[in-house]
Amino acid sequence: LPQGTRIEDAADSDMEIPGSEPGDRAAGEEALRQGQVGVVTLAAGAGSRWTQGAGVVKALHPFAPFEGTYRNFLEVHLAKTRSTARASGVRIPHVFTTSYLTHEAIAQWFESAPHDPDCDARLSRGRSVGLRLVPTVRDLRFAWEETPQERLDEQAQKMRDSVRHALMRWAAKTGEATDYRDNLPSQCVHPVGHWYEIPNLLLNGTLAALRRDHPNLRYLLLHNIDTLGASLDPAILGRHLRTGAPLSYEVISRRFEDVGGGLAKVDGQLRLVEGLALPSEDDEFRLRFYNTLSTWIDVDQLLRIFEIPGDRLSDEALVRSKVADFATRLPVYITLKEVKKRWGRGQEDIFPVLQFERLWGDMTALPGVDCRFFRVPRSRGRQLKDPAQLDSWFRDGGHRSIADITLFP
């Protein structure tokens, strides 16, 4: 967003409170009984924040005990869907999206898991990948010289400045904003943001298969792997049905650790805004409501937004063309990352690179896309980004609230 953009905090009246009107829960329960609802869990990330830098498959980490056994994120999410399926008397589809970083490990885990009669669990393999770029000198100068920096002692500061100037010379010599190829292939590519995980359902045939096997499927609940409280709550589902909107996003009251943007009025338009898009860090901390990313999706309306006829999901060329055209309407975030290049006998260097991503919350900024915003309890939308949050999650009842809505085999 450019300097001078008017950014205001959202008012309480801008959001809806699911379950506050008679009939919300009954409408949701009926949709569940009719087999109209499925779940999509985003599990394509490498979990580097969870491990303080090491790349792991976060979805497979047994992070907390339930019923006397440590369970991983996949097991907990399936246990919630299983509980809802038993109560509704219908088999519910549950899709886990993956990427080149996580697919093989998650697929192996599912191969060893026993058959579940209540959940139709599937994987949606990522079909999108980005090639990193050499940064421009201007990018590096802004990051290292024009933003606030910790001042080191004299000798350490001289060493850091020397390294940074050497990297600026490297960027100029290598070719600013050119493809980064001087490394192992796995270090040259990157995931391109969670916006692509919904188009991937169209590109890889997962949505077409779901609609074929579950003819009544009309709605999806999309949520992050670390949003443990997200579930098929019939009252929230019923409110989404009553709004008739293609997309309904869940937001929670913000706490200090919730970083990454929130709900705001941008030049008068109510939308989710990413922290990366804000002109100043101060703007983010004025926003009282945090974006959980959990989204209720009307599948038919989403297909109309992409201009894809529902009976042509198997036309790969058409779907690919429509997704590519639609992607040009969304902003692209360019971020600086660090990659290691190993050489010799154990030596390694660290280089700055650029990578881009598109984010799902920016669907709310598009004209003509009617989005609603639901204020939900923190226990439902709270995200576990760091193991240090587990202690407070246990103490404030977060673990107990999840245990109450799970059913393990």
Side-chain angles (χ1 to χ4, degrees):
L1 300 174
Q3 293 286 347
T5 301
R6 183 162 51 91
I7 301 170
E8 302 171 282
D9 187 26
D12 291 340
S13 58
D14 293 323
M15 293 166 288
E16 302 189 38
I17 309 296
S20 60
E21 294 187 11
D24 282 357
R25 178 171 294 276
E29 289 173 344
E30 180 61 24
L32 288 167
R33 283 193 295 268
Q34 295 296 324
Q36 297 181 356
V37 193
V39 185
V40 178
T41 301
L42 305 181
S48 57
R49 276 186 288 179
W50 186 253
T51 57
Q52 305 301 310
V56 299
V57 181
K58 181 177 179 179
L60 299 178
H61 179 224
F63 68 100
F66 290 87
E67 297 183 0
T69 302
Y70 272 80
R71 313 282 185 172
N72 63 37
F73 287 90
L74 295 182
E75 291 177 290
V76 173
H77 288 303
L78 285 171
K80 292 182 298 178
T81 301
R82 184 180 301 112
S83 177
T84 303
R86 292 274 182 93
S88 305
V90 64
R91 195 165 190 238
I92 295 177
H94 194 140
V95 177
F96 293 88
T97 68
T98 64
S99 70
Y100 72 94
L101 294 170
T102 66
H103 182 82
E104 297 303 328
I106 292 177
Q108 290 177 15
W109 184 85
F110 270 105
E111 286 176 4
S112 63
H115 172 73
D116 192 334
D118 300 301
C119 303
D120 179 9
R122 307 184 182 208
L123 299 185
S124 171
R125 188 165 193 163
R127 297 284 293 271
S128 302
V129 66
L131 180 61
R132 286 171 167 150
L133 304 175
V134 176
T136 68
V137 174
R138 180 70 186 90
D139 293 325
L140 299 177
R141 196 178 301 281
F142 175 80
W144 293 340
E145 297 180 2
E146 299 178 23
T147 56
Q149 301 281 318
E150 177 188 10
R151 191 71 183 177
L152 307 179
D153 66 69
E154 184 177 359
Q155 292 304 316
Q157 187 67 38
K158 286 181 179 180
M159 179 64 72
R160 185 170 71 177
D161 290 343
S162 176
V163 170
R164 288 178 171 179
H165 283 108
L167 289 171
M168 289 182 192
R169 291 192 297 271
W170 163 80
K173 182 179 178 180
T174 305
E176 299 175 78
T178 59
D179 294 341
Y180 177 70
R181 297 177 181 272
D182 187 24
N183 207 329
L184 297 174
S186 61
Q187 294 289 74
C188 297
V189 297
H190 68 94
V192 285
H194 45 56
W195 179 81
Y196 286 93
E197 298 193 44
I198 289 299
N200 279 334
L201 295 177
L202 314 180
L203 294 169
N204 62 21
T206 300
L207 183 60
L210 283 175
R211 289 168 71 95
R212 181 181 63 248
D213 298 340
H214 300 269
N216 292 338
L217 183 67
R218 290 188 56 193
Y219 308 100
L220 295 172
L221 170 62
L222 170 75
H223 66 84
N224 252 327
I225 191 70
D226 50 27
T227 311
L228 290 171
S231 65
L232 293 174
D233 186 301
I236 302 177
L237 169 61
R239 173 53 64 93
H240 174 64
L241 302 183
R242 291 163 68 94
T243 66
L247 302 172
S248 297
Y249 288 80
E250 297 184 12
V251 299
I252 58 174
S253 57
R254 176 190 292 277
R255 288 186 182 173
F256 181 77
E257 67 266 21
D258 298 328
V259 178
L263 184 63
K265 286 184 176 178
V266 179
D267 286 338
Q269 178 189 353
L270 187 66
R271 54 166 288 194
L272 295 173
V273 60
E274 297 291 334
L276 290 170
L278 293 168
S280 167
E281 291 182 354
D282 295 342
D283 292 322
E284 179 173 351
F285 291 101
R286 286 198 292 268
L287 305 180
R288 291 180 297 143
F289 300 102
Y290 178 68
N291 171 24
T292 70
L293 194 74
S294 299
T295 314
W296 296 88
I297 302 172
D298 184 311
V299 175
D300 290 330
Q301 291 196 63
L302 183 68
L303 291 175
R304 285 196 289 272
I305 290 171
F306 278 92
E307 299 181 351
I308 299 174
D311 58 354
R312 296 190 63 185
L313 283 173
S314 58
D315 187 338
E316 185 173 349
L318 171 72
V319 173
R320 185 174 299 280
S321 173
K322 293 297 185 181
V323 168
D325 289 344
F326 190 88
T328 62
R329 300 174 57 189
L330 292 162
V332 179
Y333 298 93
I334 308 295
T335 58
L336 272 175
K337 299 288 185 179
E338 291 183 339
V339 298
K340 290 183 178 181
K341 181 181 179 181
R342 293 182 172 88
W343 54 277
R345 297 188 177 184
Q347 295 95 334
E348 64 183 27
D349 291 322
I350 298 177
F351 289 89
V353 294
L354 291 180
Q355 64 185 49
F356 73 90
E357 56 186 20
R358 288 186 169 93
L359 303 178
W360 179 249
D362 285 321
M363 292 289 289
T364 63
L366 298 178
V369 179
D370 180 20
C371 299
R372 305 299 174 91
F373 303 96
F374 296 163
R375 184 175 180 179
V376 299
R378 275 195 60 86
S379 60
R380 178 177 174 84
R382 180 178 182 175
Q383 298 174 340
L384 290 179
K385 298 294 186 185
D386 190 307
Q389 296 174 295
L390 287 171
D391 182 58
S392 61
W393 180 64
F394 274 95
R395 285 188 289 105
D396 66 13
H399 176 272
R400 184 171 58 254
S401 67
I402 305 303
D404 290 341
I405 58 174
T406 54
L407 178 63
F408 292 95

